[in-house]
């Protein structure tokens, strides 16, 4: 079928755009669906953004405090009432469904008198532990509030703006996942499978549809993932090295998690075919001594120096001044937690990370069924294993797999350190692995490409099927969360919808419009993808694709 002189990739660019709109629409619904402060530490994330927005600076860990506007916002948000989907209701804590929503127009507005805490802090002042992190995301959030004129709006409007900022950062990550997958497969339909990956994980919607500093980490690690894939497939140019170091450093100004991308960067240079820089080649033999040893080390050293200069200095300074990579912002009392026996700490840790990766909504209180978590985890592992063991893109798949593996191991090791002192397990949350969203999405795309025998025709069938499954999973996750957040026992859907509208920062008409637009975006994306993947082509024009690096 003739393309009428259009660029041969134009149809795939339209499909990618449609899938990105779908991810944006899905994330926006999550941003409106999740009740205020129903993701970990959202209150203090908002508090720290407002502190920067109003010139309060970035105090040392333990010396930042919660402002009066946050205390008022918690009351007006029904915090900490138990959600109807909570696994175990707490004695003496009010039920969220029994609380009367605050009047939207009367919610507290932010201003200079309430955006900063009293100094010195009075008795009972609550510590804002977020100053244990670098301020990059918070400064970005403050800039967004100033740019949108919401710096002196109602607190719920400012919170929604920060949530949408995180959705935008997530959407911005997915093109890098697609680009990495296409670099490894040479196939547009195979690569586009990566784009709707977030829809399969309800917890991603809950976390990255809320206000927190994880989203900037997700984007930075997504860019590093793409650049690492370029390196392992032969792009050993100095400008790629410089970009790797700078992006990694910027990510380190958000959180320490991008440091776990370093093993993947090292592996990329170690496994890269050393031919003509920038040219992807499957025929270049990797030689080790002495032809390529010094160039690899030189590039790694350059990337490392740039990463430290751009952002890693924050963590070096922490070690030199406090003796810890990340100082404790607010000590946690773990005496009320149940001790974990020595023979159980690892399986319990693994289970908690898996559970909270897929679906542990709010403050780890609404649980996805464990059987579903097991099935999803096994499927993800099997697809990744296929990408790793089959010839054609094994080096690239190995580089992709290192980031989620390193992040998971880091989370569990950190929990073990705490357990070794207290016999309690804390800080186990799958959201810490979300820096690997792009890597996981690309790994899934490569695994499915390998599973269909690297056949373009078969990949064209897989793409619309995967998109339809992602769309269905996204809808099911939202429906589950809607009930868990707003629907009490024996209540109708109408009762739950009215409660959602009552607590929302926008009115019921806006909610209907957003949900309707999201549904339209989903159907449109499915249609555009199906048209791109299944359009008729003459057999003689079917491309013969390279296998890619082994």
């Amino acid at each position: 079928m003739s393309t009428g002189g259009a660029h041969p990739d134009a149809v795939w660019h339209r499909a990618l755009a449609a899938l990105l709109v779908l991810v944006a629409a899905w994330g926006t619904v999550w941003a409106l669906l999740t009740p205020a402060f129903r993701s970990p530490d959202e209150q203090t994330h908002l508090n720290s953004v407002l502190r920067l927005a109003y010139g309060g600076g970035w105090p040392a860990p333990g010396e930042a405090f919660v402002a009066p506007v946050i205390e008022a916002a918690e009351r007006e948000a029904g915090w900490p009432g138990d959600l109807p989907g909570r696994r175990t209701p707490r004695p003496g804590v009010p039920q969220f469904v029994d609380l009367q929503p605050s009047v939207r127009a009367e919610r507290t507005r932010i201003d200079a008198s309430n955006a900063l805490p009293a100094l010195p802090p009075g008795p009972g002042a609550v510590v804002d532990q977020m100053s244990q992190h670098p301020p990059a995301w918070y400064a970005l959030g403050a800039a967004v509030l100033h740019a949108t004129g919401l710096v002196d709006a109602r607190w719920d409007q400012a919170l929604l703006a920060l949530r949408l900022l995180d959705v935008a950062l997530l959407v911005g990550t997915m093109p890098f996942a697609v680009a990495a997958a296409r670099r490894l497969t040479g196939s547009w339909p195979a690569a586009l499978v990566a784009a709707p990956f977030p829809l399969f994980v309800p917890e991603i919607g809950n976390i990255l549809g809320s206000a927190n500093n994880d989203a900037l980490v997700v984007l930075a690690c997504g860019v590093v993932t793409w650049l690492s894939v370029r390196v392992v497939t032969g792009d050993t140019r100095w400008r790629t090295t410089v970009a790797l170091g700078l992006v990694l450093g910027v990510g380190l100004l958000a959180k320490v998690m991008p440091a776990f991308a370093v093993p993947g960067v090292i592996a990329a240079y170690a496994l890269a075919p050393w031919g003509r820089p920038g040219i992807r080649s499957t025929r270049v033999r990797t030689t080790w001594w002495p032809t390529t040893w010094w160039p690899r080390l030189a590039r790694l050293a350059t990337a490392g120096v740039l990463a430290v200069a751009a952002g890693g200095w924050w963590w070096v300074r922490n070690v030199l001044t406090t003796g810890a990579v990340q100082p404790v912002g607010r000590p946690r009392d773990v005496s009320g937690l149940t001790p974990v026996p020595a023979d159980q700490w690892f399986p319990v840790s693994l289970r908690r990370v898996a559970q909270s990766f897929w679906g542990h909504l709010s403050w780890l209180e609404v649980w996805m069924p464990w059987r579903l978590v097991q099935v999803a985890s096994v499927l993800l592992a099997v697809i990744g294993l296929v990408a790793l063991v089959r010839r054609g893109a094994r080096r690239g798949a190995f580089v992709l797999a290192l980031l989620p593996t390193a992040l998971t191991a880091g989370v569990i090791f950190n929990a073990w350190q705490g357990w070794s002192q207290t016999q309690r397990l804390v800080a186990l949350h799958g959201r810490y692995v979300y820096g690997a969203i792009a890597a996981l999405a690309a790994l899934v795309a490569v695994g499915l490409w390998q599973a269909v025998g690297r056949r373009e025709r078969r990949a064209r069938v897989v793409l619309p099927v995967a998109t339809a499954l992602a769309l269905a999973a996204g809808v099911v996750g939202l429906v589950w969360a809607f009930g868990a957040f707003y629907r009490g026992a024996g209540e109708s859907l109408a009762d739950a919808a009215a409660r959602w509208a009552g607590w929302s920062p926008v009115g019921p008409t806006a909610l209907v419009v957003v949900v309707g637009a999201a549904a339209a975006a989903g159907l449109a994306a499915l249609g555009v993808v199906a048209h791109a993947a299944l359009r008729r082509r003459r057999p003689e024009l079917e491309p013969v694709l390279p296998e890619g690096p082994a």
Side-chain angles (χ1 to χ4, degrees), residues 143-180:
V144 167
L145 293 186
H146 279 292
T148 57
L150 295 174
V151 73
D152 56 358
R154 299 194 319 260
W155 65 264
D156 58 336
Q157 294 172 319
L159 181 65
L160 178 59
L162 297 178
R163 288 181 168 191
L164 294 178
L165 166 64
D166 279 8
V167 172
L169 294 174
L170 171 63
V171 174
T173 302
M174 301 321 295
F176 295 101
V178 172

Side-chain angles (χ1 to χ4, degrees), residues 122-148:
V126 178
V127 172
D128 174 357
Q129 76 274 27
M130 290 305 134
S131 60
Q132 67 186 354
H133 299 298
W137 179 85
Y138 303 93
L140 178 61
V144 167
L145 293 186
H146 279 292
T148 57

